[in-house]
């Protein structure tokens, strides 16, 4: 399972002016890791981000190497 809190920072620069905003986020989801060898692992996760009036699904892939 994936669960966590985050802080997002958004900024926009336009000819009419600049704007920025910070929002708290909640992440909920799940993921899995698969060993490829003794030192290499591949993984994937799907999480749902809840950010005030902007919610989205996020899919991620990862690779890790153990020394």
């Amino acid at each position: 399972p994936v669960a966590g809190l985050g802080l997002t920072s958004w900024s926009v620069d336009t000819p009419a002016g600049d704007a920025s905003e910070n929002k708290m986020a909640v992440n909920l989801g799940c993921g899995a890791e698969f060993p490829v060898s003794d030192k290499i692992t591949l993984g994937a996760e799907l999480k749902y981000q809840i950010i005030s009036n902007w919610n989205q699904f996020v899919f991620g892939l990862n690779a890790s190497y153990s020394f």
Side-chain angles (χ1 to χ4, degrees):
V2 175
L5 297 174
L7 177 66
T8 64
S9 179
W10 306 17
S11 64
V12 173
D13 299 327
T14 67
D18 303 337
S20 64
E21 190 171 3
N22 295 322
K23 296 275 188 182
M24 291 296 297
V26 176
N27 296 309
L28 302 170
C30 61
E33 290 187 338
F34 306 97
V36 177
S37 69
D38 289 341
K39 297 191 177 270
I40 298 174
T41 304
L42 299 178
E45 70 179 20
L46 177 64
K47 61 184 175 182
Y48 188 65
Q49 289 184 331
I50 303 166
I51 308 170
S52 188
N53 60 349
W54 178 267
N55 302 332
Q56 65 181 351
F57 280 101
V58 178
F59 179 73
L61 298 173
N62 65 62
S64 61
Y65 178 82
S66 300
F67 294 96

